Amino acid sequence: MLQLLKDNLAVVEKNIADACKRSGRSRSDVTLVAVSKTKPNEMIGEVYALGVRDFGENYPQELKAKHDTLPSDIRWHMIGHLQRNKVKYLIERVCMIHSVDTEELAETISEQAVKHHLVMPVLAEVNMAEEDTKFGIRPQDAEDFVRRISVLPGIAVRGLMTIAPYVENPEDNRVHFRNLKNLSIDIGRKNIDNVAMCELSMGMTNDYVVAVEEGATLVRVGTGIFGARDYSAAI
Ligand SMILES: *Cc1c(COP(=O)(O)O)cnc(C)c1O
């Protein structure tokens, strides 16, 4: 298993490095978030041993269990749809919440953060392709959304996140990544207090190369590192 994970990780690393080179970016501007949902601690431990420190999870209880068992210098990213009553499991365990898509959720995160004397970095999730099946705010509502949540004391808006559609050809998602980047530049120019548009979380196994070329600072790669997921084994 270790050799397979090592080979997978080497491929992903090379693809990211090549995409950075092609687009004139520095490799250090892109963080690889290894998406470990449904994967056992043993596998995560092996990827950790290969040097990865950023891991992404979708389910609060699963994240809590893994956080409380695995090495404490792992940076856990919450990337999945989040219900308000689950925020309490995450507030002291994650370095960033990528999936903030309602004011109510932002308020709950802020309340919990204040209670724990911390400020939680968050990203606003934008549904760039405006798919009915996806969570996320509409692109045209993003600036207003960011303005509204920016006043909450327990969160710091650090950028935008999107989950692009599933497509056969990753080039088809380039437009969504480019539009997210432009949206982030537009909002950044408004100089809203307490908002820094420095992170763009975009790109998954199928399309992270295109996302890096278009400016991703966080790519969320699961299958490409860990192999296909078996949801029946999830916590
Ligand atoms: C599962 C998941 C990923 C990783 O998907 P892969 O296609 O396996 O790389 C990335 N982002 C989000 C939000 C996810 O839910």
Side-chain angles (χ1 to χ4, degrees), residues 204-219:
M204 304 170 35
T205 294
N206 192 42
D207 53 20
Y208 66 91
V209 168
V210 175
V212 169
E213 288 171 357
E214 294 299 328
T217 64
L218 294 154
V219 289

Side-chain angles (χ1 to χ4, degrees), residues 35 37 58 79-80 161 163 203-206 220-224 229 231:
V35 177
K37 63 181 180 230
N58 286 52
I79 63 172
M161 177 270 220
I163 302 175
M204 304 170 35
T205 294
N206 192 42
R220 311 178 306 265
V221 180
T223 312
R229 282 180 291 275
Y231 282 93

Side-chain angles (χ1 to χ4, degrees), residues 1 9 18 46 53 64 66 79 87 148 150 157 164 175 177 183 185 203-204:
M1 183 56 80
L9 191 60
D18 289 350
E46 290 185 343
R53 292 293 177 273
K64 176 179 187 293
K66 289 174 173 175
I79 63 172
V87 171
R148 286 169 193 270
S150 68
V157 181
V175 62
F177 298 145
L183 188 56
I185 292 171
M204 304 170 35

Side-chain angles (χ1 to χ4, degrees), residues 37-69:
K37 63 181 180 230
T38 79
K39 298 298 178 182
N41 284 350
E42 296 71 47
M43 279 177 95
I44 300 172
E46 290 185 343
V47 173
Y48 174 90
L50 295 167
V52 175
R53 292 293 177 273
D54 292 88
F55 289 86
E57 288 283 338
N58 286 52
Y59 311 107
Q61 280 99 333
E62 185 179 347
L63 191 154
K64 176 179 187 293
K66 289 174 173 175
H67 169 279
D68 294 353
T69 319

